[in-house]
Amino acid sequence: MPIIDSAVYVDGRRIENPSSLDQTFEYMEAHGGMAWIGLLRPSPDELERVAAEFSLHPLAVEDALAGHQRAKLERYGDNLFAVLRPARYIDETETVEFGELHVFIGREYVVTVRHAEVPDLSQVRRRLERAPALLRRGPEAVLYAILDEVVDQYDPVARGLQNDVDEIEDGLFSDGGADLTQRIYQLAREVIHFQRAVEPLRDMLEALLRGADKYGVDLELQRSLRDVLDHVLRQCEKLTALRAILDNALTVNATLVTQRQTETALTQNEEVKKISGWAAILFAPSLVGGIYGMNFTHMPELNWTFGYPMALGLMAATSVGLWLAFKRKRWL
């Protein structure tokens, strides 16, 4: 059994450290306490054993085994099933890595099923064990602490994404070209995926608070859940702003790329005009010289005293005329 940690708590204090799942069930029944079992990538048979002991709903068990679920909260009678999408920012690659955490909550138990190394729930367990007054409030307190840890881990992710957006804004008016467009698109996708992890928590926490009185949730615990909700709302606002900035950056970058391409095309066109103009000016004397260089017998100008000056003048006049014409059209 891939048990990361398993314990039984009575009155907010850890009383036993069972070495197996069977011992956990025995201690739980003997002391009438709350069991908290943490599993990492359990097999179907292993999770089915836990499900049979705590009467977990088959649909929730199926979701936990399948994985790749969206963040959500489901209630099956007095039991809760939550899917959370923890995240962490990887500085080396400037990307966001998402995990998946399933939490089963009953009157006397908490079962957590992880499919990734994050989040580190041992920190949550140590925090609660140092605060027996909070842990005394039961499984809902564990759910609150897990939600609080997951949401707290969103802060460095949001800061990392904000830093990436700032870098894009700084480089927007440099010659980023297609590479910058690709980076903006990739970052926008990460923000969207992060939104899909964060935004469902708003509805989840609001649903928990709506049902708090009905299911007898402690008043102080309700205040703590509202604090987490406020944190989630701030994250949602940040992500909405980041997404708007990236949408605008993508539009501005596309405009700048088009402008640069247009400017390059105009510059190239001006160069072509200049080359064509000078070619025409140089071609005119060559044409005149070529005609009189054919040396036919019957060419009157060849025996004319002013034939040579006339040919030079014609060359000069043609060249000057073409130069003036091209200058007037701003080709030169």
Side-chain angles (χ1 to χ4, degrees), residues 35 45 54 106 134-135 137 141 149 152 169 180-181 196 278 281 287 297-298 308 319 323 326 331:
D45 292 340
F54 294 122
L134 177 59
L135 192 54
R137 294 185 172 97
E149 177 68 17
D152 283 346
E169 286 185 304
L180 184 59
T181 301
R196 291 173 181 171
W278 286 112
I281 291 172
L287 176 63
T297 303
H298 301 288
Y308 177 65
S319 298
W323 184 84
F326 290 141
W331 279 35

Side-chain angles (χ1 to χ4, degrees), residues 284-285 287-289 291-292 307-321:
L287 176 63
V288 175
I291 292 173
Y292 288 101
Y308 177 65
M310 182 212 67
L312 293 178
L314 183 60
M315 293 180 187
T318 305
S319 298
V320 171

Side-chain angles (χ1 to χ4, degrees), residues 179-191:
D179 291 339
L180 184 59
T181 301
Q182 183 178 5
R183 177 59 181 143
I184 294 173
Y185 179 74
Q186 291 173 344
L187 188 55
R189 288 191 61 186
E190 289 187 345
V191 171

Side-chain angles (χ1 to χ4, degrees), residues 24 36 43 62 112 126 135 178 190 222 228 249:
T24 302
W36 181 358
S43 68
E62 182 180 344
T112 57
R126 288 193 295 269
L135 192 54
E190 289 187 345
Q222 293 183 43
V228 178

Side-chain angles (χ1 to χ4, degrees), residues 83-142:
V83 179
L84 305 177
R85 299 301 306 273
R88 66 171 178 170
Y89 185 81
I90 303 175
D91 291 317
E92 292 77 11
T93 58
E94 295 186 338
T95 57
V96 181
E97 181 183 84
F98 294 94
E100 188 169 343
L101 173 64
H102 302 88
V103 185
F104 297 87
I105 300 292
R107 289 187 178 274
E108 299 176 342
Y109 67 85
V110 176
V111 177
T112 57
V113 180
R114 285 190 292 150
H115 290 278
E117 299 301 326
V118 292
D120 184 5
L121 294 183
S122 62
Q123 297 181 12
V124 179
R125 194 183 289 265
R126 288 193 295 269
R127 170 192 166 191
L128 286 172
E129 290 176 352
R130 289 193 299 267
L134 177 59
L135 192 54
R136 191 178 297 123
R137 294 185 172 97
E140 291 85 359
V142 177

Side-chain angles (χ1 to χ4, degrees), residues 264-280 326 330-332:
T264 300
L266 290 174
T267 301
Q268 292 175 343
N269 190 39
E270 291 299 320
E271 294 298 325
V272 170
K273 287 180 180 179
K274 289 181 180 180
I275 293 172
S276 300
W278 286 112
F326 290 141
R330 297 182 179 177
W331 279 35
L332 297 176

